[in-house]
Amino acid sequence: MQPTALVYSSHDRCEYLHRWWIIERALRSFNNKTIFHLPFSQYSLHDQEYDYNNFKWYYQRFAQWGLRYSSFYWTDSLKKEDVDLFFHKLWNSEVVVLGGGSSQLGLARYKAMGDMYYGDRNLFEKILSERQQRGMLTVGFSAGADQLCQYLCETCSGRIQDPRGFGLVRNISCTLHHEPARIGEVYRLAEALPDCMVFGLPNDSGIASYQTTLWSGNTFQYINFITDNSWDAPKDQFHIKTRMGVKIDHIYNDGRHWAFNGGDRLLRVISPDGNWQEAVIITNAGYMIDYWTQNPSRYSSVIDFINNN
């Protein structure tokens, strides 16, 4: 079960998360070792170029193994052939990365791409969903992570009319660049979104999700929790919260707290209407714990969980 969506928060290009969860995913392809980087959430063209260059130096390290990488910048003067190329790359690239910036700005631009020449504001989202069904990986960093979730983390602020993201990680919302002093934000988001699981992602950490529909009609998620302690530039130590022992904080919809370690996993099924869900935590030591009671699970394996839901 290879992940089809990865949402993460980082200070720079930490090695474990970027190489083994993003780069190697593209390199494993026999004939499509491609990454398409989209910095649409940055305001100016200069900012978009800066966003891409913050990743490009890292992508370049793997060109010798066949990695091909490219970007695409938003401007107000895109022609039909430009937009055609954009959607061609979006459909075909083995890995797509949505960069950082403003979540709302990026969402508006991604939707405008479909509306511009095709009259379909949902075209970008539809292609992301089709990529997921084809088993391809879409990655969201910072604002991009926010956009791939069900709802933006600004949902509880009351400042946005439409808080919905693209939902590639269904019924999940995250706060980014999380640290213990900001746990209140996670509590408020969990209170505002009782049908979602809410996580606080510190630098450098992420959630990798495989998502599909079961024969029962329920949505199944297999989620990996990633923490990365590999970035070792001394000047950046303050920013790398995982190196300080900060875990991925999770607040239940009833206010209870749980903290996920790197290597922990979560099995989850969600009914089509979203009103019911079952979940099991698998610790990095292999123990299966019922999500709701936090007691040992009645399920004995991943297959057992799937077959009974």
Side-chain angles (χ1 to χ4, degrees):
M1 287 182 279
Q2 289 195 118
T4 53
L6 167 63
V7 295
Y8 78 100
S9 177
S10 76
H11 175 66
D12 212 315
R13 306 290 76 78
C14 47
E15 182 76 2
Y16 172 65
L17 199 158
H18 288 87
R19 176 167 185 176
W20 298 107
W21 290 89
I22 301 175
I23 301 295
E24 290 296 329
R25 180 60 174 272
L27 292 179
R28 282 199 297 269
S29 174
F30 179 72
N31 60 358
N32 189 23
K33 303 179 192 299
T34 52
I35 289 181
F36 188 34
H37 186 104
L38 298 176
F40 277 33
S41 298
Q42 299 288 354
Y43 283 91
S44 68
L45 181 59
H46 176 268
D47 291 338
Q48 293 180 68
E49 292 170 341
Y50 178 81
D51 187 288
Y52 179 46
N53 288 331
N54 266 344
F55 285 78
K56 185 178 179 181
W57 70 266
Y58 190 81
Y59 298 152
Q60 287 173 334
R61 290 177 48 192
F62 302 92
Q64 60 183 309
W65 290 289
L67 183 69
R68 291 177 290 137
Y69 47 89
S70 61
S71 186
F72 192 100
Y73 302 137
W74 166 272
T75 72
D76 294 325
S77 57
L78 292 171
K79 300 177 182 178
K80 176 65 160 55
E81 52 266 33
D82 300 323
V83 179
D84 288 343
L85 175 63
F86 171 85
F87 282 112
H88 174 80
K89 286 193 170 188
L90 183 67
W91 171 266
N92 287 287
S93 296
E94 188 68 24
V95 176
V96 170
V97 177
L98 309 189
S102 164
S103 300
Q104 294 180 66
L105 175 67
L107 278 174
R109 287 175 172 175
Y110 292 132
K111 292 176 181 179
M113 291 296 287
D115 195 34
M116 199 175 300
Y117 290 104
Y118 305 100
D120 185 354
R121 287 184 59 79
N122 296 317
L123 182 58
F124 185 87
E125 182 176 354
K126 289 175 182 175
I127 293 179
L128 292 190
S129 179
E130 290 166 357
R131 287 177 51 81
Q132 186 169 64
Q133 294 168 23
R134 292 156 60 207
M136 305 174 94
L137 177 64
T138 305
V139 177
F141 160 71
S142 194
D146 204 19
Q147 292 157 355
L148 291 185
C149 289
Q150 190 75 45
Y151 296 99
L152 304 183
C153 63
E154 289 183 84
T155 295
C156 55
S157 71
R159 294 192 297 268
I160 52 177
Q161 291 184 335
D162 185 358
R164 290 173 296 176
F166 293 127
L168 248 64
V169 192
R170 186 185 167 193
N171 286 63
I172 280 179
S173 186
C174 298
T175 65
L176 290 307
H177 312 293
H178 172 69
E179 54 187 81
R182 298 175 62 187
I183 190 66
E185 297 176 19
V186 189
Y187 274 99
R188 287 190 292 274
L189 193 60
E191 184 180 17
L193 301 172
D195 59 330
C196 285
M197 288 188 178
V198 174
F199 302 93
L201 297 181
N203 295 339
D204 296 329
S205 72
I207 294 173
S209 169
Y210 168 83
Q211 181 171 296
T212 191
T213 302
L214 299 176
W215 63 270
S216 61
N218 294 328
T219 297
F220 169 69
Q221 289 177 335
Y222 182 96
I223 295 172
N224 290 275
F225 295 91
I226 305 163
T227 57
D228 186 344
N229 301 317
S230 62
W231 188 254
D232 58 0
K235 65 181 178 64
D236 291 337
Q237 293 307 303
F238 172 79
H239 302 284
I240 314 304
K241 301 306 179 182
T242 52
R243 289 179 71 93
M244 302 177 187
V246 178
K247 300 178 181 181
I248 297 174
D249 279 321
H250 168 59
I251 304 301
Y252 283 68
N253 56 19
D254 60 7
R256 286 179 294 160
H257 173 265
W258 187 275
F260 286 93
N261 296 289
D264 289 348
R265 291 166 289 162
L266 180 73
L267 308 178
R268 186 187 190 198
V269 288
I270 312 166
S271 64
D273 61 9
N275 290 329
W276 171 86
Q277 54 182 297
E278 173 75 303
V280 169
I281 297 166
I282 307 178
T283 71
N284 56 18
Y287 298 109
M288 298 188 72
I289 300 171
D290 182 86
Y291 171 82
W292 298 106
T293 67
Q294 299 182 0
N295 294 321
S297 172
R298 65 187 178 91
Y299 300 106
S300 59
S301 66
V302 176
I303 297 300
D304 184 32
F305 180 83
I306 293 174
N307 288 341
N308 286 280
N309 285 287

